Structure formats: structure tokens, C-alpha cells
Amino acid sequence: MNRSTLSLGGAVVALAVLTGAASLSGGSESAATPKGAVTTLPVQRSTVVCPAPSPSEFAETVYTSFTPATTSNGTGGTGGAQLVPALDKAKPLAPLKQTGKGVTVTTDKPGAPALIGTADGPLAPGWTVQQNTVVDAGPGRGLLGTSCITPDSEFWFPGASTATGRQDYLHLVDPDDAPAVVDVELYGKDGLLKASTGDGITVPGKSAKPVLLSTLVADKVADLTVHVVVRSGRVGAAVQAADSKVGTDWLPPAADPATSLVMPGIPADATSVHLVAYATGTDDADLTLKLATSTGLIAPAGHETLHVKAGMTATADLGNVTRGDPGSLVIGSSTVHSAVPVVAGLRITRGKGDKQEMAFLPATPAISTRATVADNRDKGSTLGLTALGKDANVKITSAPGPSGGTTVTKTVVIKAGTTVSLQPQPPSQSKGGYAVTVERLSGGPVYASRMLALPLGGVPMFTIQPLPDDRGMVQVPQAASDLAILDK
């Protein structure tokens, strides 16, 4: 799944039009940018959607909006970023007017609505919105965190469930004026489940629709892969999973189907790690499993391989696979058969007995240039960074929130095949939440996630957000006037 295809595609079109217009109005071609060449430019507009946070009376949600201050944002122009409640003409929330400093807004309103966000100009490249909700009592107690989602036409969610004790809602948000039509497919261990109402779900324009997965099928299935396909329009999609025993969290979309996948940043104190994988091709997939530890790649004892039948969901209980050392799960393809694309994700549990909490970590795309996560807390945030192939150098930047402060940076070397776990340094003279940007400077592919831990009442509440590349830059073909077409 490519969550940025549509929004960035729109940016490409807009930038191409601007470039062509400049050429037609008298711009001359340069030897440095010959006709047909491609230029990398910052995106001019970004759109995200934030699902409705929680219906609980005991919920408090913090939204944090942030755009990193880097040279890729461009040097001129004006812009802004804001969130607007879906189907509501209320005053915009969390307006952002400058890069490098986040803004926040908090709500404890039960049933707070989904939000639709837009950013343009220099605030568009790398813009991110973090939604963190604490439910401190009741059956949905826990910490729910998600980076608000870029609308797209396809999403995969390995790790959903309709089992007894689970209540999973698929949240669909349409950011556009026109309605979107969505098909929802559910895959279990025996393949596609027959959904009674999963085809042709209409999401009205500028609105949200929650879909309880257990209303789509009668089967009680512990491990499902949910495939969301948009027939017309585009949506943002996320699954809110609630377990009667181990809390609740958002299940983010997984990376595109691929023959190799990485789930970076499994906590050192994870008491249970449960893998869910689905083979998207027409052939079975034979996978290899490795754990990138602080010292190198190892094969988890008893879980070196996993066979996934075509069109079916397979699972593996890895237990406390990290054993006190933070790690990342690396999935590859066996050399015995041809490689088959898969999607995958982890359900991670921390704590014991009735003091447990769960979070989800899907396979995560590599950071080619930069990724950002907002609303970090002093001593509560932990980055998990993994490099593959070659050693990698990354720069970690902590930028202040509304309380102000001074940005701090740190450079870290990640050895190939290892995982580095660290708590980012908060901005100096700053209080409250802050944003963290990870930039890959050189070396091999880098995969990253952020764990936010906010323990409450003896429960190790936590959430994990993957950090894919922010795709703040797009490639734009050089356009030029060609009056010869008038003779054709």
C-alpha cells in the first residue's frame, strides 16, 4: 500500500503546471536543466485525516501538529496547516503557522469527531499530526496513539480480530467533497471470509464512517488480515482494536506487500510478541524470520521460518522474543522457492496478569530521507532504529512544542543488522511534548518506530508508531513550451 500516492500525485500535477506556466511566460531552458530532466521539489499541499478518538467518557485526546524546519521546505511563500472536524463548520483546530515548532489542542469530549487536515506552502513538506488518547478507566482503558493518515485507495491491516473479547472498528474518513465507495475484505487462516456487508460501503464526502468488523462476518476469528480497497474517491483508514484483557490501541496500516519486511523497535520488556502475516500472491510464501538485536541478526529459536498459504493469514507466537534486549523483526524470503509478496504486523504485549497493555507494530517502509513523529514526552518516548545491508548514519532532531525551547540534535551510527534503542533528548529549556525528526544521512536503509509509554495505575500503557519516510519531496519533470505542436 502506498499511502502517499494520491496526495503526492496531486502535488506533482500542481508543481508541473507551475513549472510549465513559468516556461510559457518566457522562462528559458538552462543547460543544467535540459528538457525532459527531472527536478526534486518540496510538495505544496498535504492532506491527513484523524479518526474519531474514543467514545469513552474517560478519554482525553491530545492532537499535535508539526512541520520540521529544514531546507526542503523551501525558502519563500506563505502557508498554513489546520484541522477541521468532519461534517462540521466549527472553528479550525491547532492552526500551525511556522515550521520547527509544534502546536497542540486537547479534548475530553466523549465521541469527539474525526478530523480532516490540510497544510500548504512551506508547512506542507513533512507535516505530521499525532493523535494520542488516554482512557484511564472502563473497558476501553489504555493508551491509543496514531499518526494521522494520508488518504489513499488501498490499505492492509494484518492483526485485526473478531474474536470474543475483541471489538475492532475500521474507521474510514473521506477528506473530499464527493462520496467514496469502499470494499472491505477479511482474510483468516482458511482464506477470504464471506462478508455480508463489506462490499460497496459508502462514506459521504467530508465525513467518517466506523465499521464494527464483527458485524461484517459471523465468524469469531482471532487473527484477521483486513484489506481495504477504494472503488471511487479516496479515504484514510485505521483499525481501533479493543481487548477486554489487554487494553486498546490503533492498528496502523502496514507497508506495501513485499518479499522482505521490517518491524522495527520491539520493546526490550515485551512479554508477548504475536506475528500475523498474509500472502498476497497466487503462490504460497516461505518466509525466514530474524531478529535484529543490539549486536546483530539472530534467528529466533523455534521460529526460524514461517509458511504462509496463498490468500491466507498465518501466525506465529514469538513469546518474549527480545528477552530484555530491544530488537526488530526482519522477514525475508526462503531461497527454496520464488519470493512471494506478503504483508505483516505484530501485536505486542507488555506487563503481566491484569496489568497488561497491547500495541501494534506493522511492517514499516524504510526512511529514505526523513521521518517525524510529534508529541513525545520526556523519559516516555523511545526510538527503535534498525539498519540493514550497510551501517547507517542518522541525525535525530528534537524540536519544541508550544512551550518553546531550543532545538537539539544528535547523530547516531547504526551498525548493519542491529537495532539501536534510545530516548531522544528533549529540547533544552522546554516543557511538555516535543517533536522528533529522524534523518538518514548516509549508509544502508533505515527503519524506525517510536514507542510512547505513559504508565498509569500500575498498567504499562504504551503505543508504537511506525516512522515511514515523510515523502516531503517529489520529482517533477521539467516542462517547456513547444510551439511546433501548433503545426500538427
Side-chain angles (χ1 to χ4, degrees):
M1 181 211 62
N2 186 347
R3 294 187 292 276
S4 299
T5 300
L6 290 176
S7 60
L8 295 180
V12 171
V13 172
L15 287 167
V17 169
L18 290 173
T19 307
S23 180
L24 288 170
S25 62
S28 61
E29 293 181 27
S30 164
T33 56
K35 184 168 62 177
V38 174
T39 300
T40 301
L41 296 173
V43 299
Q44 292 297 298
R45 186 175 178 85
S46 296
T47 300
V48 299
V49 297
C50 308
S54 173
S56 173
E57 296 180 356
F58 306 101
E60 181 177 86
T61 300
V62 178
Y63 299 95
T64 304
S65 174
F66 177 81
T67 297
T70 62
T71 55
S72 65
N73 294 80
T75 57
T78 60
Q82 63 183 22
L83 302 167
V84 178
L87 276 183
D88 192 343
K89 297 188 182 298
K91 183 179 179 181
L93 307 175
L96 185 67
K97 298 180 180 180
Q98 67 181 84
T99 63
K101 183 178 180 181
V103 297
T104 63
V105 63
T106 302
T107 180
D108 57 2
K109 179 182 178 182
L115 303 178
I116 299 171
T118 56
D120 56 24
L123 292 173
W127 182 52
T128 185
V129 179
Q130 179 68 25
Q131 172 181 311
N132 288 329
T133 303
V134 174
V135 182
D136 58 14
R141 70 105 178 103
L143 172 61
L144 301 90
T146 182
S147 296
C148 295
I149 307 135
T150 301
D152 205 346
S153 58
E154 184 180 29
F155 299 87
W156 292 94
F157 299 97
S161 177
T162 57
T164 301
R166 275 281 289 269
Q167 192 174 56
D168 287 19
Y169 279 89
L170 170 65
H171 287 252
L172 304 169
V173 185
D174 181 355
D176 302 319
D177 293 325
V181 180
V182 179
D183 293 335
V184 179
E185 303 165 343
L186 307 178
Y187 295 90
K189 62 182 180 62
D190 297 318
L192 179 65
L193 301 178
K194 185 178 180 181
S196 58
T197 56
D199 290 338
I201 297 173
T202 298
V203 185
K206 300 287 186 182
S207 71
K209 180 183 285 293
V211 179
L212 181 60
L213 294 184
S214 60
T215 64
L216 300 182
V217 293
D219 308 67
K220 299 294 184 182
V221 182
D223 296 293
L224 285 172
T225 300
V226 178
H227 187 203
V228 175
V229 181
V230 184
R231 288 194 211 171
S232 63
R234 58 176 184 163
V235 300
V239 173
Q240 188 181 84
D243 189 290
S244 59
K245 295 182 179 179
V246 291
T248 181
D249 205 352
W250 288 102
L251 171 56
D256 286 336
T259 56
S260 60
L261 298 170
V262 179
M263 282 143 276
I266 305 171
D269 61 351
T271 52
S272 174
V273 177
H274 184 74
L275 170 65
V276 180
Y278 171 81
T280 62
T282 57
D283 297 321
D284 293 0
D286 288 295
L287 307 178
T288 60
L289 307 183
K290 292 186 178 181
L291 189 70
T293 69
S294 62
T295 57
L297 287 168
I298 63 171
H303 297 287
E304 296 86 354
T305 60
L306 179 66
H307 181 75
V308 188
K309 294 182 179 179
M312 301 182 187
T313 296
T315 64
D317 281 311
L318 306 181
N320 60 338
V321 64
T322 52
R323 300 183 183 277
D325 184 25
S328 302
L329 189 66
V330 180
I331 293 180
S333 298
S334 170
T335 57
V336 178
H337 301 102
S338 298
V340 175
V342 297
V343 292
L346 300 175
R347 184 181 74 241
I348 300 170
T349 305
R350 297 171 66 231
K352 297 180 180 180
D354 61 353
K355 302 292 186 181
Q356 296 185 70
E357 172 78 336
M358 71 173 180
F360 296 92
L361 176 59
T364 304
I367 299 174
S368 58
T369 303
R370 180 184 66 179
T372 298
V373 61
D375 195 10
N376 295 276
R377 314 288 177 88
D378 188 13
K379 300 181 180 179
S381 293
T382 303
L383 292 176
L385 307 170
T386 298
L388 294 181
K390 297 189 296 183
D391 295 357
N393 291 283
V394 301
K395 182 171 73 172
I396 301 170
T397 302
S398 298
S403 64
T406 303
T407 297
V408 298
T409 62
K410 179 180 181 179
T411 301
V412 176
V413 177
I414 312 168
K415 296 293 185 181
T418 70
T419 295
V420 172
S421 178
L422 59 88
Q423 291 187 341
Q425 180 182 351
S428 60
Q429 299 177 334
S430 176
K431 297 180 180 179
Y434 60 96
V436 172
T437 298
V438 177
E439 293 181 75
R440 187 182 73 87
L441 302 177
S442 63
V446 174
Y447 302 82
S449 71
R450 186 281 306 269
M451 182 180 79
L452 178 63
L454 301 177
L456 182 65
V459 178
M461 291 187 180
F462 76 114
T463 183
I464 302 175
Q465 275 72 64
L467 296 181
D469 192 89
D470 65 20
R471 300 192 178 187
M473 304 292 289
V474 290
Q475 291 186 331
V476 181
Q478 291 292 316
S481 58
D482 186 0
L483 299 181
I485 62 173
L486 299 177
D487 298 326
K488 296 180 181 180

